[in-house]
Amino acid sequence: MPWARVSHAYGPAKDAPHEIKRLMSDDVEDRMDAICGFLYSSAFHQYSIYTATPLVIRCVAKLLADPKLPNEPSGMGQPMAYELLHFVRICAERGQIAIEGGPKLDTPTIEEAASEVRCVLDRYLTHPENKVREEALLLSELLERKGMSESPCSEPTQKSRPSHIWARWICFFLAWLCWIACLPMVLLAILFLFDPGPHGAFGVAPIVFGFAALVCGGLGCLLYFAGISDVGADQKQ
């Protein structure tokens, strides 16, 4: 789930990870409080939306894909599916242009986040509850009208980088190994530079060891930055 990233976005939705987990609670009172106090009063507050709102929408899209949760009662007279769909729709109606605060480069737009619901929307167009079907139809029409109906329903392909913690530690280990190997190379280059040996027989040694030190240092930096790269490194989402 992408809710871990929501806490990095500012605005009234800063407590989103905790509140989204309340949306998934087994207790109907918790779910109702999260809907009223978080979705309708924080991530979307009196027609104001915030930097964290697209990430909240993305989380809601994941909840709508759950086979069980959307059919649970919301405590407000309708299934959870209705309230979740309604939240996405009212946010999509406002759009990215209505966000308060500057957009963050590492977050999706309102339109991009709302379009992710399209992948699961068909199941709600045939839902047994009339209100759910109506809300799904309104959202479907809105997405189509705003050009948000065409969205890939698979996870985006990420660049080839370490995708697990163990892979990152391997990168760090190899980086330090290269840097450790770099140190004696530098020392040998300096030694032969000041003491080339009899008749200058080792005059080329500083160049050889200096080049080796440069290669080891470069490989160390390359592996280190591959390790700290957060592109898929922690599987945050």
Side-chain angles (χ1 to χ4, degrees), residues 130-212:
N130 185 51
K131 283 285 188 179
V132 175
R133 292 198 305 273
E134 290 178 358
E135 193 62 39
L137 181 60
L138 289 172
L139 179 56
S140 178
E141 292 174 347
L142 176 65
L143 293 177
E144 186 173 355
R145 187 166 66 249
K146 289 200 169 190
M148 295 183 278
S149 58
E150 297 298 327
S151 175
C153 294
S154 59
E155 292 294 326
T157 302
Q158 295 179 329
K159 294 180 180 179
S160 178
R161 296 287 181 87
S163 59
H164 300 286
I165 291 297
W166 60 264
R168 299 184 70 190
W169 283 113
I170 288 175
C171 286
F172 291 142
F173 172 76
L174 292 176
W176 280 106
L177 202 62
C178 288
W179 285 333
I180 291 171
C182 179
L183 181 59
M185 298 293 179
V186 172
L187 293 176
L188 285 170
I190 294 173
L191 174 65
F192 284 113
L193 182 64
F194 288 99
D195 185 16
H199 311 294
F202 299 100
V204 74
I207 299 175
V208 173
F209 286 110
F211 178 75

Side-chain angles (χ1 to χ4, degrees), residues 8-187:
H8 297 292
Y10 56 88
K14 62 183 179 180
D15 294 326
H18 170 70
E19 293 295 337
I20 290 172
K21 289 180 181 179
R22 291 183 70 203
L23 285 171
M24 303 169 64
S25 173
D26 293 331
D27 183 25
V28 67
E29 294 292 331
D30 277 347
R31 295 197 297 269
M32 182 176 67
D33 287 346
I35 291 169
C36 296
F38 172 59
L39 293 185
Y40 294 153
S41 299
S42 184
F44 184 97
H45 179 64
Q46 296 181 353
Y47 293 95
S48 293
I49 52 180
Y50 307 92
T51 307
T53 304
L55 295 175
V56 177
I57 295 173
R58 177 171 281 181
C59 293
V60 169
K62 296 286 185 181
L63 297 181
L64 284 166
D66 187 277
K68 180 181 177 183
L69 179 68
N71 294 318
E72 295 292 326
S74 65
M76 301 168 66
Q78 297 295 334
M80 288 288 293
Y82 172 81
E83 304 298 344
L84 297 176
L85 290 167
H86 182 67
F87 168 75
V88 175
R89 181 171 66 83
I90 58 180
C91 290
E93 284 176 344
R94 296 290 288 156
Q96 184 72 11
I97 195 172
I99 282 186
E100 295 190 5
K104 296 176 74 67
L105 296 179
D106 59 343
T107 59
T109 64
I110 291 288
E111 287 78 11
E112 288 170 343
S115 67
E116 295 182 14
V117 180
R118 189 68 186 87
C119 299
V120 297
L121 199 53
D122 287 346
R123 75 172 67 170
Y124 298 108
L125 291 170
T126 57
H127 197 275
E129 291 287 340
N130 185 51
K131 283 285 188 179
V132 175
R133 292 198 305 273
E134 290 178 358
E135 193 62 39
L137 181 60
L138 289 172
L139 179 56
S140 178
E141 292 174 347
L142 176 65
L143 293 177
E144 186 173 355
R145 187 166 66 249
K146 289 200 169 190
M148 295 183 278
S149 58
E150 297 298 327
S151 175
C153 294
S154 59
E155 292 294 326
T157 302
Q158 295 179 329
K159 294 180 180 179
S160 178
R161 296 287 181 87
S163 59
H164 300 286
I165 291 297
W166 60 264
R168 299 184 70 190
W169 283 113
I170 288 175
C171 286
F172 291 142
F173 172 76
L174 292 176
W176 280 106
L177 202 62
C178 288
W179 285 333
I180 291 171
C182 179
L183 181 59
M185 298 293 179
V186 172
L187 293 176

